[in-house]
Amino acid sequence: MELGLVGLGKMGGNMRQRIRNAGHTVIGFDHNPDISDAKDLADLVGKLTAPGQPKVVWVMVPVQAIDAVINELAELLSPGDIVIDGGNSRWTDDTRRAAQLAEKQIRFVDCGVSGGVWGLENGYALMCGGDAETVKTVMPIFEALKPEGEFGFVHAGKVGAGHFTKMVHNGIEYAMMQAYAEGFELLEASEIVENVPEAFASWREGTVIRSWLLDLMVNALEDDNHLEKLRGYADDSGEGRWTVEAAIDLAVPVPAIAASLFARFSSRQEDSPAMKAIAAMRNQFGGHAVKG
Amino acid sequence: MELGLVGLGKMGGNMRQRIRNAGHTVIGFDHNPDISDAKDLADLVGKLTAPGQPKVVWVMVPVQAIDAVINELAELLSPGDIVIDGGNSRWTDDTRRAAQLAEKQIRFVDCGVSGGVWGLENGYALMCGGDAETVKTVMPIFEALKPEGEFGFVHAGKVGAGHFTKMVHNGIEYAMMQAYAEGFELLEASEIVENVPEAFASWREGTVIRSWLLDLMVNALEDDNHLEKLRGYADDSGEGRWTVEAAIDLAVPVPAIAASLFARFSSRQEDSPAMKAIAAMRNQFGGHAVKG
Amino acid sequence: MELGLVGLGKMGGNMRQRIRNAGHTVIGFDHNPDISDAKDLADLVGKLTAPGQPKVVWVMVPVQAIDAVINELAELLSPGDIVIDGGNSRWTDDTRRAAQLAEKQIRFVDCGVSGGVWGLENGYALMCGGDAETVKTVMPIFEALKPEGEFGFVHAGKVGAGHFTKMVHNGIEYAMMQAYAEGFELLEASEIVENVPEAFASWREGTVIRSWLLDLMVNALEDDNHLEKLRGYADDSGEGRWTVEAAIDLAVPVPAIAASLFARFSSRQEDSPAMKAIAAMRNQFGGHAVKG
Amino acid sequence: MELGLVGLGKMGGNMRQRIRNAGHTVIGFDHNPDISDAKDLADLVGKLTAPGQPKVVWVMVPVQAIDAVINELAELLSPGDIVIDGGNSRWTDDTRRAAQLAEKQIRFVDCGVSGGVWGLENGYALMCGGDAETVKTVMPIFEALKPEGEFGFVHAGKVGAGHFTKMVHNGIEYAMMQAYAEGFELLEASEIVENVPEAFASWREGTVIRSWLLDLMVNALEDDNHLEKLRGYADDSGEGRWTVEAAIDLAVPVPAIAASLFARFSSRQEDSPAMKAIAAMRNQFGGHAVKG
């Protein structure tokens, strides 16, 4: 089938390639003319001419740019056409955007995409939300992008369910990474354990905790046995925060995911204002030594 | 080589089989005479007669029985012989037992064993501690037990390092399970997500969170889409508690692992005394309604 | 001075009384005509006739009713008049409402109010936000409401700072209550501690943890030594959730406050979906017994 | 009555003074001869000659010195005499020491003491454990030490209950301090809140969170509005760790107390090994930038 693809960055560029490899037609647009197949969005929409299918445009741009693209597409597309948002949108924005497009009878599917640098070769895990009919229409594109085999794609539910599911995936990821990280620190702190990289490597077979993240951790420890080349500093990408916020909205206790998020916040502080306050109170009541 | 194996329960029985399958001689002892190869420990030790190797006895009994077995072996074995503790011992007990046996010049190796019901077929992940010479001597047994391939065994360090590493493995397992569990609850709580089992299944390919535990979770959700047949009740096996205690000893922050442990504690309470106290205070200061 | 007061419920009614006791004029409006001094908002505004002062209207209604009241006041008041929102508003709503009123040159002050059932007698702790000039204008009302003495009032900063500060106050309250609650449960669980109510009572003098909340806890334990008459069930009022959300926005780690919030969420669950997932995974990998 | 007091440091010295102020006889011993009333323990015991009462010796020495003192007292005292351990002992050590002394029919009371630098003037909060008869015998000393009024003393239960109760007190203290600390950081992080020290001060009247710790925090903020003179570094004294360990033993969830303890651990790290592991995994899977 034929697809318009807006945004040809690290993710979008590889996705165009993978979809084309599957035999589909992709008209891509990017602000960088060297890689763009169209000179603007109007041009892209004009080039979608496949008979017997609605125009389908996949939006793969940074979150702060999504609304602008969707506003423009709302003017360019026709009733029955389909917009897919594959960016890192918050699920609550999906509902809003779907309603906006629905006013023009344009259909909307949200799609969380996982895959990073391996996606082109191994496929992208896709989690989408929308009505069944629309998802069915764009299914050939999902089939092209997803990994081979049984897994790697889900139609999770209504509009927003795709990004919600992807967000929860990332929340789980935060806590799994924190699990290995705490284990690493504990092994490193022990005087009797002398071979932490090999301990991690050994876990790759026969254990309950084997996983792809473990494999990555083993790779990292092979290069740098004590991770001495790294600083203990971790950004967070938004989805971890949204996961905890969603949990608060829904009154779901998420202590491990929240702990993982807070650990990242702490990792970025030069000094902790909270712990200054602890030091101050201790100093007041007990004459405990403080460090100025 | 030749091995004495004390304890032929669910774990020990299968381990005897796997070691024999690898071509080694195993004299097993169990209180159940139907499965035992020796009538008591003295008989077992007497039957270890392979020339040119020290007697090696693997102890695979419940934690509360380990000291009794080791006390008896201390009397039966000779200088240079080797005791391997493959039970769920706390690492601090290893040091004590190694010292006790060292008084008789009996050598000691601790070995954490993971594998459960799949061990016989797929191999047991082994994490051991002790001096290099002793570990080398019993290596053929470790080779027989471990999974095929590069991974599944580590000589992690000094005496105690095996059980310490296995304990940390279990601590990581607690937090990984909690990660998936929190994600499950969040997806279930969302009104827009309609297909939680398929969302979990989709994650098996192309995602950062694919793992063996995820596979198990997918299996469980296939049988029981909303886990309605289960109560939210989880025991803990000791290693999770020890992990947090070790972290406290070593001043290592383990918020995600501790959260996972506390969640299990809470799961076993009919009602929470702490939350009664919260209710009591709220009632006192604000006339908030309480539930009697 | 003269004040219009919208909302004469449990809080508003007592506040009217306390302000009148201080010698000010209060025109109150409530949907209950038996206690209202005006028949509607227009009537209330019409009755504010004090010369030489702008009309000042204090809104003390449930959060879901605030916007409707403010919309109406925006039509009734004149440039230079002042609206005070004393309800449990989220600080982000203050900014929005202040902007809305500013379009008509009506001034806005937000004010978090603490005090509950003791407020009439002992005074209400007030935390307000707004520009200095406006706060100064309504200061006589704040003086009337606040407790006697040096403390109990703060002009915390810009519009929103009052509700933000009140929200943080409540977040701290959550974690303090959780602190006592965990201590209570621990003492109750100990076999050697036989006198938990007296232990709590003893802490009222000479300790680091003496506080008003402790006093309340002592009262509760006097009536019901083991809190057997209560269920461990605690609602949350919104501010606890907002505190954690604000912390996430600002990348501030708040592990103790979040733990307190999650404990309340858990307290309201019949069964924990997350712990069902833990039980399911444990059952899959180890044949651990589960409770159906 | 007459009391032997071993250890005349910051705590013991002031306690001697306060007990003497109440009209009792105190023979103190300290390694520093300038302040000691006896030249050694034997001399101290020899000087306890009051007729009609058992010899009573209060041990107020650092934890690592307690066993040595008790071993010596076990030889010097007679059946019916009483040893009080007022140090920062772990409750599990109390049981052991009581059993050791019971072999010689010497009685034992454990007593957790709170008070710090204000104790001499305001009294020491006391939490003791032991049998009722023995506690009654030494009650005049407790009366002398405790604050005036109804509170500040509890006979909490069996031997060990005193130190257990004091330990829980300190665990509560950790989480209360963390509560204020998190609130402080959140207020400081907000752009709309401009007056954090005054916000804290305002809470001293009319709020749910007023407490002695709040008073201390207010003092600290008066001297140093943003705590700029302090580093966010906090030691922990042992009781916080023991509280979490006791909770683990008793399967009591203590998420807020544990979070507070872990925050202190983190505060003492130059860099976090766990967060290095997070950075390493992120780098592996996504090419996320890391800081070397």
Side-chain angles (χ1 to χ4, degrees):
Chain A
M1 64 180 282
E2 193 184 65
L3 180 76
L5 177 56
V6 182
L8 302 170
K10 199 165 59 173
M11 286 291 280
N14 283 341
M15 287 166 69
R16 175 173 62 174
Q17 190 58 51
R18 188 169 170 96
I19 301 169
R20 284 179 177 167
N21 291 350
H24 300 291
T25 302
V26 183
I27 315 295
F29 169 71
D30 197 272
H31 284 301
N32 177 354
D34 296 344
I35 55 175
S36 189
D37 307 319
K39 62 179 200 288
D40 54 27
L41 282 181
D43 187 34
L44 175 140
V45 170
K47 286 179 165 158
L48 295 174
T49 57
Q53 73 153 89
K55 295 178 197 254
V56 181
V57 181
W58 184 301
V59 182
M60 203 67 202
V61 301
V63 274
Q64 56 279 12
I66 296 174
D67 274 319
V69 172
I70 286 187
N71 290 342
E72 209 175 334
L73 288 174
E75 301 304 317
L76 295 166
L77 294 174
S78 308
D81 289 347
I82 299 172
V83 170
I84 304 169
D85 176 14
N88 290 321
S89 296
R90 192 175 164 126
W91 84 101
T92 45
D93 289 327
D94 293 323
T95 329
R96 176 174 57 76
R97 288 168 186 151
Q100 173 191 354
L101 292 168
E103 287 176 15
K104 309 235 172 181
Q105 288 168 275
I106 301 166
R107 295 180 283 167
F108 181 82
V109 171
D110 62 288
C111 187
V113 180
S114 179
V117 294
W118 293 272
L120 173 55
E121 191 173 346
N122 301 334
Y124 298 87
L126 306 175
M127 294 145 253
C128 77
D131 69 83
E133 180 62 27
T134 309
V135 169
K136 192 178 163 197
T137 304
V138 298
M139 200 65 209
I141 301 301
F142 291 150
E143 288 288 351
L145 283 170
K146 73 178 278 297
E148 285 183 30
E150 193 181 347
F151 309 115
F153 172 81
V154 66
H155 175 202
K158 302 193 183 91
V159 162
H163 280 128
F164 192 95
T165 301
K166 173 62 164 52
M167 173 195 78
V168 172
H169 162 279
N170 284 40
I172 293 172
E173 176 194 317
Y174 272 56
M176 285 178 65
M177 290 171 73
Q178 183 70 19
Y180 291 117
E182 294 179 4
F184 170 73
E185 181 165 341
L186 200 42
L187 289 180
E188 284 281 294
S190 164
E191 288 188 3
I192 54 177
V193 177
E194 296 163 332
N195 210 335
V196 175
E198 286 191 20
F200 268 80
S202 81
W203 291 337
R204 296 179 73 175
E205 276 300 331
T207 73
V208 176
I209 65 172
R210 60 193 192 260
S211 74
W212 190 63
L213 272 169
L214 176 65
D215 297 346
L216 297 184
M217 186 69 189
V218 170
N219 289 351
L221 287 170
E222 251 171 42
D223 296 342
D224 183 3
N225 284 341
H226 298 283
L227 304 180
E228 289 163 330
K229 295 175 196 154
L230 291 172
R231 250 187 55 203
Y233 178 104
D235 275 315
D236 70 281
S237 56
E239 281 98 343
R241 300 186 184 205
W242 296 341
T243 305
V244 180
E245 288 172 357
I248 290 173
D249 282 349
L250 296 165
V252 169
V254 290
I257 295 174
S260 311
L261 182 65
F262 295 150
R264 294 197 180 187
F265 290 169
S266 291
S267 81
R268 303 200 296 262
Q269 298 186 321
E270 278 303 306
D271 198 357
S272 159
M275 298 316 289
K276 284 169 179 266
I278 299 284
M281 282 181 273
R282 277 166 59 80
N283 188 38
Q284 288 282 329
F285 72 68
H288 290 282
V290 291
K291 301 208 171 190
Chain B
M1 64 180 282
E2 193 185 66
L3 180 77
L5 177 56
V6 183
L8 302 170
K10 198 163 61 170
M11 286 290 281
N14 282 342
M15 287 165 67
R16 175 173 62 174
Q17 191 55 52
R18 188 169 170 97
I19 301 169
R20 282 180 177 164
N21 291 351
H24 300 291
T25 301
V26 183
I27 315 294
F29 168 71
D30 196 273
H31 285 299
N32 177 355
D34 297 345
I35 55 174
S36 189
D37 307 318
K39 62 178 199 289
D40 55 24
L41 282 182
D43 187 34
L44 174 139
V45 170
K47 286 181 165 155
L48 295 173
T49 57
Q53 73 152 90
K55 295 178 199 255
V56 181
V57 182
W58 186 300
V59 181
M60 202 69 201
V61 301
V63 275
Q64 55 280 13
I66 296 173
D67 274 319
V69 172
I70 286 187
N71 290 342
E72 209 174 334
L73 289 174
E75 301 305 318
L76 295 167
L77 295 174
S78 307
D81 288 348
I82 297 171
V83 171
I84 303 168
D85 176 15
N88 289 320
S89 296
R90 192 176 163 125
W91 86 100
T92 46
D93 289 326
D94 293 323
T95 330
R96 177 174 58 75
R97 287 168 187 152
Q100 173 192 353
L101 291 168
E103 287 175 15
K104 310 239 172 180
Q105 290 169 271
I106 301 167
R107 295 180 283 168
F108 180 83
V109 171
D110 63 287
C111 187
V113 179
S114 178
V117 293
W118 292 272
L120 173 54
E121 191 172 343
N122 301 334
Y124 298 88
L126 306 175
M127 295 144 253
C128 78
D131 69 81
E133 180 63 26
T134 308
V135 169
K136 192 179 163 195
T137 304
V138 298
M139 201 63 211
I141 301 300
F142 291 149
E143 289 286 354
L145 283 170
K146 73 178 277 296
E148 286 183 28
E150 193 182 346
F151 309 114
F153 171 81
V154 67
H155 176 201
K158 302 194 182 91
V159 162
H163 280 128
F164 192 95
T165 301
K166 173 63 164 54
M167 172 195 79
V168 172
H169 163 278
N170 285 40
I172 293 172
E173 175 194 318
Y174 272 58
M176 283 177 65
M177 289 170 74
Q178 182 71 20
Y180 291 116
E182 294 179 5
F184 170 73
E185 180 165 341
L186 200 42
L187 288 180
E188 284 281 294
S190 164
E191 289 189 4
I192 54 176
V193 177
E194 298 164 330
N195 211 335
V196 176
E198 286 191 22
F200 269 80
S202 80
W203 291 338
R204 297 179 74 176
E205 276 300 332
T207 73
V208 176
I209 66 173
R210 57 193 194 262
S211 74
W212 190 62
L213 273 169
L214 175 66
D215 296 346
L216 297 184
M217 186 67 189
V218 170
N219 289 350
L221 286 171
E222 251 171 42
D223 297 343
D224 184 2
N225 282 343
H226 298 283
L227 304 181
E228 289 163 330
K229 296 177 196 152
L230 292 171
R231 250 189 53 206
Y233 178 103
D235 275 315
D236 69 281
S237 56
E239 280 100 343
R241 299 186 187 206
W242 298 341
T243 305
V244 180
E245 288 172 357
I248 291 173
D249 282 349
L250 296 165
V252 169
V254 289
I257 296 174
S260 311
L261 182 64
F262 295 150
R264 294 198 180 187
F265 290 170
S266 291
S267 81
R268 304 201 296 263
Q269 298 186 323
E270 278 302 307
D271 198 359
S272 159
M275 297 316 289
K276 283 169 180 268
I278 299 283
M281 281 182 274
R282 276 167 59 81
N283 188 37
Q284 288 283 328
F285 72 68
H288 289 283
V290 292
K291 300 210 172 188
Chain C
M1 64 181 281
E2 192 184 65
L3 181 76
L5 177 55
V6 183
L8 302 170
K10 200 163 60 171
M11 288 290 281
N14 282 342
M15 287 165 70
R16 175 172 63 175
Q17 191 56 53
R18 188 169 170 95
I19 301 169
R20 284 180 177 167
N21 291 350
H24 301 291
T25 301
V26 183
I27 316 294
F29 169 71
D30 197 272
H31 284 300
N32 177 354
D34 297 344
I35 55 176
S36 189
D37 307 318
K39 62 179 199 290
D40 55 25
L41 283 182
D43 187 34
L44 174 139
V45 170
K47 285 178 164 159
L48 295 173
T49 56
Q53 73 153 88
K55 294 178 199 252
V56 181
V57 182
W58 185 300
V59 182
M60 203 69 202
V61 301
V63 274
Q64 56 279 14
I66 296 174
D67 274 319
V69 171
I70 286 188
N71 289 343
E72 210 176 331
L73 289 174
E75 302 305 317
L76 295 166
L77 294 174
S78 309
D81 288 347
I82 298 173
V83 171
I84 304 169
D85 176 15
N88 289 321
S89 296
R90 192 174 164 127
W91 84 101
T92 45
D93 288 326
D94 293 323
T95 329
R96 176 174 59 75
R97 287 168 187 151
Q100 173 190 355
L101 292 168
E103 288 175 15
K104 309 237 172 180
Q105 289 167 276
I106 301 166
R107 296 180 283 167
F108 180 82
V109 171
D110 63 288
C111 187
V113 179
S114 179
V117 294
W118 293 273
L120 173 55
E121 192 172 345
N122 302 334
Y124 298 87
L126 305 175
M127 295 144 255
C128 77
D131 70 83
E133 180 63 27
T134 309
V135 169
K136 192 178 164 197
T137 304
V138 299
M139 201 64 210
I141 302 300
F142 292 149
E143 288 287 354
L145 284 170
K146 73 176 279 295
E148 285 183 29
E150 193 182 347
F151 309 115
F153 171 81
V154 67
H155 176 203
K158 302 193 183 92
V159 163
H163 281 128
F164 192 96
T165 302
K166 173 63 163 54
M167 172 195 79
V168 171
H169 163 279
N170 284 40
I172 293 171
E173 176 194 317
Y174 272 57
M176 285 178 66
M177 290 171 74
Q178 182 70 18
Y180 290 116
E182 294 179 5
F184 170 73
E185 180 165 341
L186 200 43
L187 288 180
E188 285 281 294
S190 164
E191 288 188 4
I192 54 176
V193 177
E194 297 163 331
N195 211 334
V196 175
E198 287 191 21
F200 269 80
S202 80
W203 292 338
R204 297 179 73 175
E205 276 300 331
T207 72
V208 175
I209 65 172
R210 59 194 191 262
S211 74
W212 190 63
L213 273 169
L214 176 66
D215 297 344
L216 297 185
M217 186 68 189
V218 170
N219 289 350
L221 288 170
E222 250 171 43
D223 297 343
D224 184 3
N225 283 343
H226 298 283
L227 303 181
E228 289 163 329
K229 295 175 197 155
L230 291 172
R231 250 187 54 205
Y233 178 104
D235 275 315
D236 70 280
S237 55
E239 280 100 343
R241 300 186 185 207
W242 297 341
T243 305
V244 180
E245 289 172 356
I248 291 173
D249 283 347
L250 296 165
V252 169
V254 289
I257 295 174
S260 311
L261 182 65
F262 295 150
R264 294 197 179 188
F265 290 170
S266 292
S267 81
R268 304 200 296 261
Q269 298 186 321
E270 278 303 306
D271 198 356
S272 160
M275 298 317 290
K276 283 169 179 267
I278 299 283
M281 282 181 273
R282 277 167 58 81
N283 187 38
Q284 288 283 330
F285 73 69
H288 290 282
V290 292
K291 302 210 170 187
Chain D
M1 64 179 283
E2 193 184 66
L3 180 77
L5 178 56
V6 183
L8 301 170
K10 200 163 60 171
M11 287 290 281
N14 282 342
M15 288 165 68
R16 175 172 64 175
Q17 192 55 51
R18 188 169 170 96
I19 301 169
R20 282 180 177 164
N21 291 350
H24 301 291
T25 302
V26 183
I27 317 294
F29 169 70
D30 196 273
H31 285 300
N32 176 356
D34 296 345
I35 56 174
S36 189
D37 307 318
K39 63 177 197 291
D40 54 25
L41 282 181
D43 188 33
L44 174 140
V45 169
K47 285 179 164 156
L48 295 173
T49 57
Q53 73 154 90
K55 294 178 199 255
V56 180
V57 181
W58 185 301
V59 181
M60 203 69 201
V61 301
V63 275
Q64 56 278 14
I66 296 174
D67 275 317
V69 172
I70 286 187
N71 290 342
E72 208 174 334
L73 289 174
E75 301 304 318
L76 294 166
L77 295 174
S78 308
D81 287 348
I82 297 171
V83 171
I84 304 168
D85 175 15
N88 289 321
S89 296
R90 193 176 162 126
W91 85 102
T92 45
D93 288 326
D94 293 323
T95 330
R96 176 173 59 74
R97 287 169 186 149
Q100 172 191 355
L101 291 168
E103 287 175 15
K104 310 238 171 179
Q105 291 169 274
I106 300 166
R107 297 180 284 168
F108 180 84
V109 171
D110 63 287
C111 187
V113 180
S114 179
V117 293
W118 294 271
L120 173 55
E121 191 173 345
N122 302 335
Y124 297 88
L126 306 175
M127 295 144 255
C128 78
D131 69 81
E133 180 64 27
T134 309
V135 170
K136 193 179 163 195
T137 304
V138 299
M139 201 63 210
I141 301 300
F142 290 148
E143 288 287 354
L145 283 171
K146 73 178 278 296
E148 284 183 30
E150 192 182 348
F151 308 114
F153 172 82
V154 67
H155 175 201
K158 302 194 183 91
V159 162
H163 281 127
F164 192 95
T165 301
K166 173 62 164 53
M167 173 194 79
V168 172
H169 163 278
N170 284 39
I172 292 170
E173 174 194 318
Y174 272 57
M176 285 178 64
M177 289 170 75
Q178 182 72 18
Y180 290 116
E182 293 179 3
F184 170 72
E185 181 166 341
L186 200 42
L187 288 180
E188 284 280 293
S190 163
E191 287 188 4
I192 54 175
V193 177
E194 297 164 329
N195 211 335
V196 176
E198 285 191 24
F200 269 80
S202 81
W203 292 338
R204 296 180 74 176
E205 276 300 332
T207 72
V208 175
I209 65 172
R210 59 194 193 261
S211 75
W212 190 62
L213 273 169
L214 176 66
D215 297 345
L216 297 184
M217 186 67 189
V218 171
N219 289 350
L221 287 170
E222 251 171 43
D223 297 343
D224 184 3
N225 282 343
H226 298 283
L227 304 181
E228 289 162 330
K229 297 176 195 153
L230 291 171
R231 251 189 52 206
Y233 178 103
D235 276 315
D236 70 280
S237 56
E239 280 99 342
R241 299 185 186 208
W242 297 340
T243 304
V244 180
E245 289 172 357
I248 291 173
D249 282 348
L250 296 165
V252 169
V254 290
I257 295 174
S260 311
L261 182 64
F262 296 149
R264 293 197 180 188
F265 290 170
S266 291
S267 81
R268 304 200 296 263
Q269 298 186 321
E270 278 302 306
D271 197 359
S272 160
M275 297 317 289
K276 283 168 180 269
I278 299 283
M281 282 181 274
R282 277 166 59 81
N283 187 37
Q284 288 282 329
F285 73 67
H288 289 284
V290 293
K291 301 210 171 188

